[in-house]
Structures are given as C-alpha cells and as structure tokens.
Amino acid sequence: MLLAALLCIAFWFPSGFGVQSLIELSPSGLDSLLQDYAFRAFGKRAKTGIVYDGIVPSNLTGIKVAALRLRSGSMRRRGVKSFKEFEIPIGLIEQPYVERLVLVYHNLGNWSELYYPLPGYTYLSPVLGMLAYNAYNLSAKDLPELDLRASKEPMRINFSFSQTTNQEASPKCVHFDLDGSPEFDNVVDKNACFATKQGHFSIVVEVGGAAPAPAPRNGAPGNGGNHGRGDGDGKNRKKVYAIVGSVVGGMVCLVVLLGCLFICLKRCRDRKKRGKMEATADLDVPLRMAIVGNTKAPVASEIRTRPMLEDDYLI
Ligand SMILES: *[C@@H]1O[C@H](CO)[C@@H](O)[C@H](O)[C@H]1NC(C)=O
Ligand SMILES: *[C@@H]1O[C@H](CO)[C@@H](O)[C@H](O)[C@H]1NC(C)=O
Ligand SMILES: *[C@@H]1O[C@H](CO)[C@@H](O)[C@H](O)[C@H]1NC(C)=O
Ligand SMILES: *[C@@H]1O[C@H](CO)[C@@H](O)[C@H](O)[C@H]1NC(C)=O
C-alpha cells in the first residue's frame, strides 16, 4: 500500500503541475512546433519569394502552415502583394536585422478556440498567424521570433468568413501579441484587419450581439486597448482546472500516504506494547505499583498527557 502511495505521488505530481497535460502545448509551444514544420516545407531548395505550403503532424490536423523566404531588403523596399490572406506592405522591418528571413503563416482552423480562447467572443474566422524567423539555418528548431514592425503602412489581412452574423453585432479585429494578450481594433472593408506587428489575428463578434457582454471582465468592447484580460481568463481557466485537478489528486495521494503512515505507526506501537506486555508477563509482575500517599496503587504503563504549565506557552 505504501508502495502504491509512493507510485501515485511519483506519477501524479509531474503531470499534474505541468499544465501541459490539459492543453498539450502552449500557444508559444505551438508556434515553435509550427516553425519547424513550416521550414520543412522548403525541402532541399528554398527559392526566395515562393510560398511553400507545409504539412503538419497528424495530431494537429486542421492547422495549415506556409513559409516564404525573403531577402529582408527586398521585403522592406517592395513588400509582398499577397502571402495567403496577408498583404506585406512596403516598410516592414524586422528586429534584430537579418539578411534573409522566413515569414511563417499559420491558419489554426478548428484549433483557434483551443489555443486562443477569448471568453465572451465568438470567432468568425480562424486565427491566422504571421511570424518571422531568421532564414540563416533552414533546419533549425526552436528559433526565436523576429520582431516585425510596419514602419510605413500597416499589414492588411483579408479574412473570408462565411458565418452569418447577427446584424446588430459589430465584428472586431483581434490581435494576439506573442505573449498572448489580445488587442481589439475595427474591421476595415467588412472583412479585413490592419496590423502593425507580427502575431495572431482573427475577427470576432461579442456573444450576445450588440449588447454589452454580460461578463464585465472582458472590458469595454472597442476601446482598442483591452490588453490581456479576456485571453488571460481563458488561459487562467485552464490553469485553474489543472491546478484544481492537481490539488485534488495530490490530496488523494496525501490521504493515502497518511493512511499508510498511520497504519504503520499503529502497528509499530501495537508491536511495542505487545512486546512490553509480554516482557512484564515474563517477569510475573502484572502491574506496576506506585505509592500514593499511604496506599499502593497500580499505574498504567501508558503515558498520560502531562499537564502543561501556562509558562510553556511563553516559550
Ligand atoms: C504532435 O506530434 C509531434 C510529433 O509527431 C510532437 O512533437 C508534438 O508534441 C505533438 N503535438 C501535440 C500538440 O500533440
Ligand atoms: C485584400 O482585399 C483588397 C480589396 O479587395 C485587395 O485589393 C487586396 O489585393 C487583397 N489582398 C489580399 C492579400 O488578398
Ligand atoms: C479539427 O479537425 C480535424 C479533422 O478535420 C480533427 O482531426 C481534429 O481533431 C480537429 N481538432 C479539434 C481541436 O477539434
Ligand atoms: C542548423 O540547425 C541544425 C539543427 O539545430 C543543426 O544541426 C545544424 O548544425 C545547423 N547548421 C548550421 C549551419 O548552423
């Protein structure tokens, strides 16, 4: 039983406290996995200026990736007319500077909600991502993202969405920074968004139409500066589930362990007691006697709770 308890603890804690067990990958973990799969699309010969579609592992079916290798000077001077839904404007610059870079495109498809939960909103379009990496080593993994900034015009993203929306509800552009915090902006030309940075993008509509969201935690809609809260809630919720799960599991383990300990101690004590009783029996002294005043009285072999002096509390 003790063994069982120890095994239980050994297996529970590492998986329980790594929130990974529930969402498998964090959004940034997904980014770096998709970077690898997008880079693989280049194969042996990676021509610059050609869009290569990647193949994702089967456990991520539904996600699309693509990669485009560019000389950074030509990207800055000429832009790219169209890279999937993205229009790369003139003046897009990367930090730190690299000679050639790879733009990686994500379409998270039916995984959008899972990786970018946004409580209080419904996605009208899959979450699309645009991230930049150094093109120096096309077989590199775990590359850090380059910081992309539009210095002249913003990037434009033409979304295509089919869902019929509540007429009164006004769709919003949402942009997730690499740290996952959402920012809201207005939709342009009914289905397009502007972006000045890399990250993930989509069009959302508030649940419940034009009326303010019932949950005020999402902040005022449309103020364009709602950082962090909504997305944080979604992530926190998952974290909370994981933590509650871990705590409950941990407590079960603890109870089992304590049970074991208790049983062990009890057995130990019983054995000691029995040993003592046998010893006393052997000596043929049934009970120890003590002199109390003028009379002899038997004393229990067990130690009684000693009275505690009040001074003890002061120590
Ligand atoms: C999917 O499988 C790949 C290997 O095929 C693995 O590296 C990755 O962690 C898995 N991703 C998820 C989200 O399960
Ligand atoms: C986006 O839509 C605008 C207006 O319809 C069009 O001019 C532009 O070429 C489109 N860009 C992409 C990348 O599809
Ligand atoms: C998305 O759809 C694919 C099939 O098209 C499925 O295999 C995958 O499990 C789905 N992903 C999610 C998160 O539901
Ligand atoms: C490119 O990255 C791979 C994988 O990390 C590594 O094995 C290889 O040595 C790198 N090549 C260069 C030229 O840095």
Side-chain angles (χ1 to χ4, degrees), residues 136-143:
Y136 175 69
N137 183 352
L138 293 181
S139 40
K141 292 181 184 184
D142 294 324
L143 280 178

Side-chain angles (χ1 to χ4, degrees), residues 31-297:
D31 289 347
S32 82
L33 192 70
L34 295 181
Q35 176 263 312
D36 179 21
Y37 283 92
F39 272 44
R40 288 185 200 190
F42 287 126
K44 289 226 169 68
R45 247 192 269 159
K47 291 189 182 154
T48 47
I50 306 256
V51 176
Y52 291 85
D53 287 314
I55 296 163
V56 294
S58 58
N59 56 3
L60 291 174
T61 305
I63 293 182
K64 291 189 199 118
V65 292
L68 172 62
R69 195 167 76 119
L70 295 169
R71 295 181 68 92
S72 93
S74 109
M75 178 180 83
R76 192 177 65 247
R77 284 193 304 272
R78 286 199 287 251
V80 178
K81 192 94 199 85
S82 100
F83 176 28
K84 304 287 178 184
E85 289 91 337
F86 289 82
E87 217 175 283
I88 311 296
I90 288 166
L92 192 67
I93 44 180
E94 79 285 354
Q95 280 292 334
Y97 171 81
V98 293
E99 201 183 331
R100 286 187 182 79
L101 50 76
V102 175
L103 295 180
V104 169
Y105 162 87
H106 301 167
N107 180 331
L108 298 190
N110 56 344
W111 299 77
S112 301
E113 286 257 30
L114 194 71
Y115 280 100
Y116 292 90
L118 200 54
Y121 292 88
T122 307
Y123 280 109
L124 298 182
S125 152
V127 168
L128 306 180
M130 168 66 68
L131 304 174
Y133 300 91
N134 193 344
Y136 175 69
N137 183 352
L138 293 181
S139 40
K141 292 181 184 184
D142 294 324
L143 280 178
E145 284 85 14
L146 301 172
D147 194 33
L148 276 185
R149 299 229 168 228
S151 65
K152 294 204 167 97
E153 301 157 36
M155 287 195 278
R156 182 189 168 112
I157 311 146
N158 285 349
F159 291 93
S160 51
F161 50 87
S162 51
Q163 276 127 314
T164 52
T165 65
N166 179 347
Q167 319 254 287
E168 285 155 69
S170 58
K172 296 256 160 234
C173 291
V174 64
H175 167 221
F176 296 96
D177 220 335
L178 292 186
D179 69 6
S181 57
E183 280 176 38
F184 295 90
D185 202 352
N186 293 325
V187 173
V188 196
D189 298 340
K190 293 204 168 68
N191 69 345
C193 292
F194 283 142
T196 53
K197 287 190 281 185
Q198 80 280 45
H200 289 87
F201 310 88
S202 191
I203 293 190
V204 293
V205 69
E206 267 184 90
V207 176
R217 63 184 181 175
N218 289 314
N223 60 8
N226 184 14
H227 297 263
R229 298 302 300 272
D231 186 53
D233 283 348
K235 278 186 190 155
N236 285 346
R237 204 178 50 214
K238 276 181 184 159
K239 256 183 209 157
V240 163
Y241 287 154
I243 288 166
V244 167
S246 320
V247 167
V248 168
M251 263 148 81
V252 169
C253 281
L254 203 67
V255 165
V256 171
L257 194 72
L258 281 180
C260 283
L261 205 68
F262 180 74
I263 289 168
C264 282
L265 280 180
K266 202 162 172 288
R267 275 197 197 146
C268 235
R269 216 182 58 177
D270 286 353
R271 206 173 297 153
K272 234 189 201 161
K273 223 196 225 162
R274 212 182 310 128
K276 221 184 224 168
M277 272 161 70
E278 278 161 9
T280 28
D282 285 349
L283 288 174
D284 202 20
V285 180
L287 281 170
R288 284 201 289 157
M289 307 298 274
I291 296 166
V292 180
N294 294 328
T295 52
K296 266 185 166 185

